[in-house]
Amino acid sequence: LPGLWASVGASGQKPATVALIPPALPAVAAGRLGYNNGYVDPDGVLRRYRYAERLPDGAVIQSIAASVSSVLHAASHSDVVAAAPSSQRAGQQDALIVWRAKAEAYPRVRFADVFAQAEGGQPLKALPDFKDKVVIVGSTAPSLHDIHPTPLSPYQHGVDTLATVV
């Protein structure tokens, strides 16, 4: 893409090449994509989720949860955004997360078992039927730093939080 690369550097030094990301977020917002950002309260506990963000240019991008909802309810992106409270449409307000009764409320399936069965092998455990289910693929590895304290647990995995907000 023309203009995607820029050379920068102090005078007298060899310039470094920097890759820039073109401003294509409105195109992302129109697709079946979304962001997944958790916003912790001042005490460090994750209690809120924002379903839409307003960009400086006035465009609105949706969260992954809003994107999934729009697919499940066969609504257009604008219908999902319009259904959110006006403060959320403006990207100014976070919604309180309606947590489940326990931290690990959703069933988990090891990717290795799914992969083994897909390759014709034998999984360690019988796999559930995924037909007509929302499947969230994520990781629970602590080294990925996607663990936050929540009202349910001091160590809630991000994939469980995403499942809750979806």
Side-chain angles (χ1 to χ4, degrees):
L1 297 173
L4 185 60
W5 300 97
S7 293
V8 297
S11 60
Q13 293 182 354
K14 181 179 175 187
T17 302
V18 178
L20 303 175
I21 299 172
L25 287 177
V28 170
R32 285 189 179 182
L33 301 172
Y35 66 87
N36 185 36
N37 295 335
Y39 301 96
V40 296
D41 285 346
D43 63 356
V45 177
L46 181 62
R47 294 184 185 93
R48 301 169 193 283
Y49 190 80
R50 193 173 301 157
Y51 289 89
E53 294 271 0
R54 182 166 298 283
L55 301 176
D57 66 357
V60 176
I61 60 173
Q62 65 188 357
S63 67
I64 291 173
S67 181
V68 169
S69 178
S70 69
V71 172
L72 291 176
H73 299 289
S76 71
H77 164 70
S78 59
D79 292 339
V80 170
V81 172
S86 61
S87 58
Q88 288 182 19
R89 285 197 307 267
Q92 303 298 318
Q93 184 94 11
D94 302 334
L96 282 172
I97 297 171
V98 180
W99 296 101
R100 300 295 179 218
K102 59 183 182 173
E104 294 184 9
Y106 300 98
R108 293 180 180 204
V109 179
R110 290 175 4 118
F111 178 78
D113 290 338
V114 175
F115 187 76
Q117 184 168 317
E119 291 291 309
Q122 217 33 11
L124 293 177
K125 288 176 146 181
L127 296 179
D129 182 14
F130 294 121
K131 183 175 174 32
D132 298 325
K133 304 286 190 297
V134 174
V135 177
I136 299 173
V137 178
S139 175
T140 57
S143 60
L144 294 177
H145 305 289
D146 191 19
I147 298 174
H148 297 283
T150 69
L152 299 178
S153 169
Y155 306 105
Q156 179 101 5
H157 297 287
V159 69
D160 290 328
T161 300
L162 180 59
T164 300
V165 297
V166 167

